[in-house]
Amino acid sequence: MPAAQSKVRTIPIDQPFLRGLATYIADKHKASLPDLSRVLIVFPAQRNKLYLRRYLLEALGASGMMPPTMMTVRELLGAIYEAAGGRTALTLSPIERSFFLKEVIDTHKVEFWHDVPFLRFITIGDRLLTFFDELAQEHVTIDQIEEIVEAGHYPEKYVADELPIMKQIYHAYRNRLKEEQYCDAIDMYTTVYGQFDPQQFNEYTHIVIAGLIAPTVVEVSVISRILESLPAELILHSDCTAIMKSLNTDHPLYAHSRLMQALALKKARALSKGFRSAPPVIHARRLESISQQTLYMKECLSSALTRHEPSRIAVILTDETIVDTVTEVLRTAGIEYNLSAGLMLAQSILYCFLQLLRDVTASNCHYRALFAFLRHPLVKNAVVDGTPLRKHIYHLERKMIKQKDNYFEAEKYKKDYAELCCFLSECVSTIQKQRPIDEYLYGIAALLDRVISYNEDVVTKRRPDIKALTEELNSLAQLRFERKHESGVDMLDFALSLMKQVRYTSYGDPMKGVQVIGVLEARNLDFDCIILPSMNEGIFPTRSEKDLFINQSVRKEVGLPYDKERENLFYYYFNELTNGKREVYLSYIEEETRDVRSRFIDFLIDQGVTSVDETKLRLESTVLEYLPRYVTKDAHVFKRLRMIVSGKGLSPTHLRDYCQCPYRFYLKYILRIQEPEDIVEEPGAREWGNAMHRALHYFYQYDVQHGYTEKDVERVRALLDERLVTAVRNEIARIPKKVIEFDIELYRRRMAQVIKSDVQRFEEGFRVVTERLEKYVNADVLIGDVRVNLFGRADRVDERDSMYYVIDYKSKVPAAKHYAVGSDFQEFQLPLYALMMINQTHDRIGGLVYYDLSRSVRIVSVADEDTVETYLNDFREKILIPTLTELLNPDVPFSQTSEPESCRYCQYKHMCGVTDV
Ligand code: SF4
């Protein structure tokens, strides 16, 4: 193709692409000014157009012009299709196609009944249509794939005969479309490939196809014909020498070399206009968490803004899930920004709302799904009829937890939380309704409208994601053809799966503020400084969903893009993004759940271009302040402490908390930060322990007040069983999960062992003092000038020969060092209660006992008749008084413990930054 030989130009990759292109166009077409509209420029992405217009004016030194005609590649294909007689009015939208395909797949469920899970898998979202489209774009058929699979004996990926199944569905889908006289993207690619006449563009004096990287086979065929027949050029951001010899996926210019090969071109010429810049300064940073990354981004931005114009700084969204974090950092730091990216609708506020509501409905208002829904910003910030829901939400959650209501019933709570219950009922009933599809979807759209109207803040912001989702719902409802009725949660599921793949575009002013931009939108753009967060493998380069169906070797053989080529594209993006900049900030997160740092950082290290800063991030320079590691007892703290000790007083739990960690005491009792509560449906040892405590308490309090003997065992076992079942309901969840039934049998056996052990105790002369069961006792003690009130309840007190034995039920008996008087002491329950009994009723204490309710039920004596007096004296003098004295010493701060063991089960770990226990 000699005519095309001189038609490839490169703008060196270390020079700004669009500025170079603008200078070239300006030089070439000065004579045509002010009208450049007969020049056609084709770009890979929309944003390129905006910047080129501005740079052209700069290059021309003009204040105005008739700009060149500009199209994206997609728009170019659309124009070709239309000129070739494509029936664009009858082209189905992506959503309509998905409906068609779903119906076709449904009709195959009987024939392929043994592969229904596979059929369901290919119905989800647009994965099968994406595959079909890819085949059309690359001009490959399923027959060709089948041939290669058979010849190479490649194994099937999901089920036997998956390719024949997909082929049958493909043909059924295409026939169905034809019968109903619709067409879709596949028709467009086929028509463009087969019928493109380049003369369609002969009105243009100059056609520039600029900045492409890896066009599809259909696109290559169009480019080739344009280059052959028209005054056209291909201008790449590349290297004119390397481009001819980089046919290896390890080279960043591999895609361009492949393109040259596909176009049968052998030479490219460099366009260089003196924009060469010095290599960028590259900062690379290792971080340990997403929150550290957030803080680091703020540091980078503050630093970069001292050297660069805001609009010349870009934060590149390598990972779209961080978009909210990035914009929040910018917002809270008061930095103006412009978000410009194709974002996933699945991450929008309304999509999440619908997804959470779907979970509430499908789970029958299970409390976990409900609480997650209630915490959605559109729910917790809603104001319904003048009533803010936030306060009600907090109370409702606490009430449900307290009452162990694991399933929400509006009837039960509507008296106290009328607006919230009404809101929830409205949401759930809308999702559950059985109606024709369009009415169902309009119903959801109307619900969302109302929900937005309850959120004044959202109403005023006019968010593009809200607009996009509402439009998607409306287009879903406006199908141009009759569909079967299917609604309720299933319909919502299907709608969510369709919308999940949809992207919406957010554009702002590209010349104003820091640019927050997606990787694809950033191609060819020119910034002074870029920030690339989340540079981990799996994110950059990303994993591709396109490779779901076909093995990589088959893809390579048949001519479909394969994994190495996709990864190579990221290599090119990385080079294109980082070259020609003045400053580049790279960061990656090193944590267990993520892949290692991106290979591209390693390449830079190997080249000696940068090294990774692995020092710990300094927290004091961040927006988040961690709480100090100790708190001095200033006047305010001390006042509160005195109020506690002299008011309600201190229980054994207070004292144990203090001994384990004074800082926890401070958080829990001085600051009164409550430990998070939950409804535990699948209980652990702690919950079962509580249930056994409760069952034994009521059993001795009401069922067997006078004890029992061997002959009563069967009868009393039944009574204790019943108490246990009730306790499970009250302690664990009102509607217990089925799995508990298996566990309960285990605990029934333990209860039977308690009965057996108690039969023996009763035979030895003990009796349970029912009037002392969990009875509140208190006493006070003077420490300096502070009167300290102490109080507590014992699980059980037994009596024999006028001696009292204090008993504590334990599902795990503490280590001896924790109840022996010494430096590791922390078990106050038994001795404190015994001292208070002596003080209050002058009882004689015969012993202190742990009743071990673990697998082997047994009695563990802490002190017996012979040792109890000494033990209690030692406890008082060596533990209790020194502990209280230290607690009330204003010079001793509330410090964090240095014992990792104390932190292991502590509920305040997240506040202390304790992570390694
Ligand atoms: S996590 Fe550790 S240091 Fe923090 S309050 Fe709990 S026990 Fe104390």
Side-chain angles (χ1 to χ4, degrees):
M1 258 173 263
Q5 287 302 319
S6 57
K7 294 193 166 190
V8 184
R9 311 251 190 265
T10 59
I11 292 175
I13 200 151
D14 59 352
Q15 294 179 22
F17 181 71
L18 290 178
R19 278 179 195 274
L21 181 65
T23 309
Y24 176 65
I25 304 273
D27 278 355
K28 200 169 169 92
H29 297 285
K30 246 191 187 117
S32 312
L33 267 176
D35 183 2
L36 299 185
S37 61
R38 291 187 67 205
V39 176
L40 169 66
I41 307 178
V42 182
F43 285 118
Q46 283 288 357
R47 267 278 282 238
N48 290 195
K49 298 182 189 173
L50 280 165
Y51 281 85
L52 186 81
R53 225 171 270 152
R54 183 185 163 106
Y55 295 147
L56 259 180
L57 284 174
E58 274 176 23
L60 290 164
S63 56
M65 64 169 171
M66 186 97 75
T69 305
M70 289 188 259
M71 288 184 187
T72 61
V73 176
R74 204 179 170 73
E75 287 163 349
L76 181 81
L77 298 191
I80 296 172
Y81 182 51
E82 204 160 338
R87 295 170 301 150
T88 44
L90 291 171
T91 302
L92 295 182
S93 69
I95 281 173
E96 289 171 325
R97 294 179 79 195
S98 297
F99 269 99
F100 253 94
L101 184 73
K102 183 175 186 302
E103 286 190 13
V104 168
I105 293 176
D106 285 347
T107 60
H108 285 74
K109 279 188 177 157
V110 175
E111 185 178 352
F112 302 121
W113 59 270
H114 47 292
D115 293 321
V116 165
F118 176 67
L119 295 185
R120 210 171 291 133
F121 169 71
I122 57 179
T123 316
I124 294 172
D126 63 354
R127 40 181 70 145
L128 192 57
L129 283 173
T130 304
F131 176 57
F132 291 164
D133 286 352
E134 191 190 17
L135 296 185
Q137 284 169 306
E138 301 297 344
H139 208 57
V140 170
T141 63
I142 299 183
D143 287 336
Q144 288 169 304
I145 297 172
E146 262 185 334
E147 258 175 48
I148 290 171
V149 168
E150 272 165 33
H153 301 290
Y154 290 104
E156 316 238 25
K157 277 187 106 172
Y158 301 102
V159 293
D161 296 330
E162 59 197 16
L163 271 175
I165 295 175
M166 287 195 285
K167 188 161 84 173
Q168 195 164 323
I169 288 172
Y170 174 80
H171 289 302
Y173 164 77
R174 297 289 298 153
N175 288 337
R176 182 79 188 281
L177 228 58
K178 219 165 161 186
E179 277 163 22
E180 301 213 17
Q181 301 194 330
Y182 286 110
C183 41
D184 70 355
I186 297 172
D187 294 287
M188 179 180 86
Y189 297 126
T190 317
T191 310
V192 168
Y193 188 82
Q195 299 180 33
F196 171 46
D197 176 3
Q199 292 314 313
Q200 170 186 352
F201 297 111
N202 63 9
E203 65 185 287
Y204 295 105
T205 56
H206 185 202
I207 299 175
V208 177
I209 297 159
L212 294 200
I213 299 155
T216 63
V217 167
V218 170
E219 288 161 1
V220 168
S221 80
V222 168
I223 296 167
S224 171
R225 279 179 262 177
I226 289 178
L227 291 179
E228 274 171 22
S229 329
L230 298 168
E233 287 177 301
L234 178 66
I235 301 187
L236 304 172
H237 203 192
S238 198
D239 177 318
C240 65
T241 318
I243 201 174
M244 300 314 305
K245 46 186 181 189
S246 308
L247 271 167
N248 184 329
T249 49
D250 289 343
H251 196 284
L253 297 181
Y254 164 81
H256 280 163
S257 296
R258 258 209 91 193
L259 175 59
M260 296 292 283
Q261 193 185 46
L263 292 167
L265 296 172
K266 300 222 163 26
K267 214 164 76 189
R269 209 148 52 81
L271 283 178
S272 185
K273 270 291 175 186
F275 285 105
R276 190 170 296 276
S277 37
V281 176
I282 299 184
H283 314 269
R285 191 75 157 88
R286 179 185 77 101
L287 300 162
E288 288 168 6
S289 62
I290 192 91
S291 50
Q292 278 199 11
Q293 178 167 278
T294 310
L295 305 171
Y296 177 62
M297 248 187 293
K298 185 169 179 274
E299 264 188 24
C300 299
L301 283 162
S302 311
S303 166
L305 280 165
T306 61
R307 293 182 291 280
H308 312 289
E309 281 291 307
S311 65
R312 305 284 303 154
I313 300 171
V315 181
I316 314 273
L317 296 170
T318 44
D319 172 3
E320 285 170 14
T321 59
I322 63 170
V323 63
D324 286 335
T325 320
V326 174
T327 50
E328 192 60 15
V329 165
L330 288 155
R331 204 181 56 75
T332 51
I335 302 169
E336 190 178 8
Y337 68 91
N338 167 48
L339 175 64
S340 173
L343 298 166
M344 303 284 287
L345 201 55
Q347 277 153 25
S348 69
I349 193 167
L350 285 186
Y351 188 93
C352 295
F353 176 90
L354 285 176
Q355 213 173 25
L356 292 171
L357 177 55
R358 177 240 169 253
D359 293 346
V360 173
T361 313
S363 70
N364 229 351
C365 295
H366 185 259
Y367 83 102
R368 273 192 206 287
L370 179 74
F371 289 3
F373 178 64
L374 293 177
R375 283 167 205 155
H376 186 281
L378 287 180
V379 183
K380 72 176 183 212
N381 297 328
V383 179
V384 179
D385 296 335
T387 306
L389 295 188
R390 184 184 284 266
K391 204 171 74 187
H392 286 185
I393 288 169
Y394 175 75
H395 286 141
L396 175 73
E397 282 188 8
R398 294 204 60 80
K399 209 165 193 172
M400 282 182 67
I401 291 174
K402 202 156 169 237
Q403 301 187 358
K404 314 282 180 205
D405 262 339
N406 48 342
Y407 288 88
F408 169 77
E409 289 161 40
E411 277 305 306
K412 186 169 171 186
Y413 292 101
K414 77 174 181 205
K415 192 166 149 274
D416 294 330
Y417 314 112
E419 288 82 5
L420 178 58
C421 290
C422 200
F423 175 86
L424 288 172
S425 302
E426 182 189 11
C427 290
V428 171
S429 68
T430 306
I431 299 305
Q432 283 174 329
K433 278 205 175 98
Q434 299 288 322
R435 299 163 158 181
I437 293 174
D438 52 349
E439 281 178 35
Y440 178 78
L441 293 169
Y442 284 134
I444 292 182
L447 171 73
L448 294 179
D449 257 1
R450 279 196 299 283
V451 172
I452 291 166
S453 73
Y454 299 148
N455 287 267
E456 202 184 322
D457 192 37
V458 177
V459 175
T460 50
K461 276 194 183 142
R462 305 165 69 87
R463 299 170 51 134
D465 56 336
I466 291 186
K467 186 164 170 264
L469 189 129
T470 317
E471 280 174 7
E472 279 303 318
L473 266 184
N474 281 326
S475 58
L476 260 174
Q478 288 167 10
L479 295 176
R480 282 174 283 182
F481 37 83
E482 277 289 301
R483 293 289 73 130
K484 279 188 301 187
H485 289 186
E486 179 185 21
S487 51
V489 175
D490 285 347
M491 180 59 215
L492 181 62
D493 267 343
F494 185 57
L496 286 173
S497 83
L498 293 183
M499 291 193 290
K500 193 173 181 181
Q501 316 298 324
V502 174
R503 284 175 175 273
Y504 67 96
T505 311
S506 164
Y507 283 128
D509 187 339
M511 304 304 162
K512 248 175 139 184
V514 170
Q515 302 294 303
V516 181
I517 189 165
V519 174
L520 297 182
E521 285 78 8
R523 283 172 300 176
N524 299 330
L525 301 191
D526 165 32
F527 295 104
D528 288 338
C529 170
I530 58 161
I531 298 171
L532 277 161
S534 296
M535 287 294 291
N536 287 76
E537 287 287 312
I539 296 176
F540 202 107
T542 186
R543 284 187 204 91
S544 176
E545 263 239 326
K546 283 192 173 171
D547 305 340
L548 274 178
F549 301 114
I550 309 291
N551 166 314
Q552 297 304 334
S553 312
V554 178
R555 290 185 76 88
K556 188 173 176 182
E557 231 175 300
V558 83
L560 290 173
Y562 56 98
D563 52 355
K564 292 264 176 292
E565 288 184 330
R566 287 190 212 292
E567 288 169 12
N568 173 272
L569 268 187
F570 277 83
Y571 196 5
Y572 176 81
Y573 295 152
F574 184 71
N575 267 275
E576 218 257 343
L577 287 171
T578 53
N579 267 295
K581 310 294 181 289
R582 284 160 60 188
E583 218 173 354
V584 174
Y585 289 91
L586 306 171
S587 62
Y588 63 94
I589 299 176
E590 195 171 88
E591 59 181 12
E592 265 176 31
T593 50
R594 287 186 187 242
D595 286 341
V596 294
R597 72 179 170 214
S598 168
R599 67 195 74 171
F600 306 127
I601 295 185
D602 286 310
F603 293 170
L604 294 180
I605 296 170
D606 294 345
Q607 291 160 19
V609 174
T610 191
S611 59
V612 173
D613 179 355
E614 298 199 357
T615 54
K616 279 215 178 263
L617 197 67
R618 282 174 298 113
L619 295 172
E620 61 273 18
S621 62
T622 65
V623 281
L624 295 179
E625 292 288 335
Y626 279 174
L627 287 167
R629 299 284 165 140
Y630 66 87
V631 177
T632 48
K633 291 172 188 152
D634 63 16
H636 176 71
V637 169
F638 203 74
K639 188 173 163 207
R640 170 96 194 108
L641 178 63
R642 281 186 75 145
M643 272 170 61
I644 292 168
V645 299
S646 306
K648 189 178 172 202
L650 302 175
S651 70
T653 310
H654 284 84
L655 294 168
R656 189 171 64 166
D657 278 331
Y658 182 77
C659 279
Q660 287 186 340
C661 176
Y663 189 59
R664 186 199 298 161
F665 182 96
Y666 169 75
L667 295 174
K668 195 167 168 182
Y669 305 110
I670 306 286
L671 288 188
R672 284 186 286 183
I673 297 172
Q674 292 182 347
E675 298 180 50
E677 286 185 66
D678 201 359
I679 301 173
V680 184
E681 292 182 298
E682 286 185 35
R686 184 175 147 182
E687 291 72 30
W688 279 110
N690 290 343
M692 286 193 290
H693 266 65
R694 192 183 265 243
L696 284 166
H697 171 70
Y698 287 116
F699 175 64
Y700 281 116
Q701 181 92 59
Y702 302 110
D703 299 336
V704 286
Q705 287 157 327
H706 304 295
Y708 44 84
T709 62
E710 184 70 49
K711 68 178 173 32
D712 302 316
V713 164
E714 281 309 307
R715 179 181 60 85
V716 299
R717 260 188 78 167
L719 293 170
L720 187 51
D721 269 5
E722 213 171 293
R723 289 288 175 193
L724 185 63
V725 171
T726 315
V728 165
R729 228 170 265 281
N730 293 329
E731 277 299 319
I732 296 170
R734 216 167 45 77
I735 305 176
K737 282 195 166 183
K738 282 273 168 266
V739 65
I740 290 182
E741 313 251 322
F742 296 106
D743 290 345
I744 209 165
E745 197 42 51
L746 198 83
Y747 289 92
R748 275 196 184 116
R749 272 185 241 148
R750 286 194 198 175
M751 293 288 93
Q753 285 184 52
V754 173
I755 288 174
K756 201 169 153 203
S757 156
D758 277 349
V759 166
Q760 200 186 330
R761 276 183 79 76
F762 298 151
E763 280 171 4
E764 288 167 7
F766 289 101
R767 75 171 179 96
V768 178
V769 188
T770 47
E771 60 277 18
R772 294 273 176 90
L773 283 171
E774 301 212 2
K775 186 173 186 308
Y776 173 91
V777 288
N778 72 328
D780 53 35
V781 51
L782 202 59
I783 303 290
D785 62 343
V786 183
R787 185 159 296 283
V788 180
N789 185 19
L790 301 165
F791 69 94
R793 294 170 201 275
D795 288 342
R796 169 170 155 183
V797 175
D798 282 3
E799 185 261 344
R800 184 174 69 176
D801 303 334
S802 302
M803 300 278 268
Y804 290 87
Y805 297 80
V806 187
I807 295 176
D808 195 13
Y809 293 130
K810 286 281 183 201
S811 32
K812 185 169 179 247
V813 171
K817 65 176 182 178
H818 292 321
Y819 57 80
V821 173
S823 56
D824 291 324
F825 186 92
Q826 47 182 251
E827 294 297 331
F828 287 78
Q829 176 83 354
L830 289 173
L832 189 63
Y833 192 85
L835 284 180
M836 289 189 293
M837 273 175 72
I838 296 169
N839 185 56
Q840 206 168 53
T841 52
H842 308 290
D843 289 328
R844 289 172 59 214
I845 303 296
L848 309 177
V849 165
Y850 285 126
Y851 212 133
D852 183 1
L853 302 180
S854 65
R855 202 164 294 158
S856 51
V857 170
R858 65 193 171 121
I859 302 281
V860 178
S861 172
V862 171
D864 59 20
E865 288 88 343
D866 299 333
T867 57
V868 70
E869 197 177 330
T870 316
Y871 178 79
L872 288 177
N873 277 337
D874 282 356
F875 164 73
R876 185 185 152 83
E877 298 309 319
K878 296 179 184 164
I879 303 289
L880 182 64
I881 301 296
T883 304
L884 294 174
T885 307
E886 183 190 293
L887 174 66
L888 288 163
N889 184 345
D891 298 329
V892 180
F894 290 112
S895 317
Q896 284 186 305
T897 179
S898 54
E899 274 303 320
E901 190 58 31
S902 300
C903 301
R904 181 158 298 153
Y905 301 108
C906 178
Q907 305 279 2
Y908 298 97
K909 268 194 284 207
H910 61 289
M911 308 191 84
C912 294
V914 175
T915 55
D916 49 356
V917 290

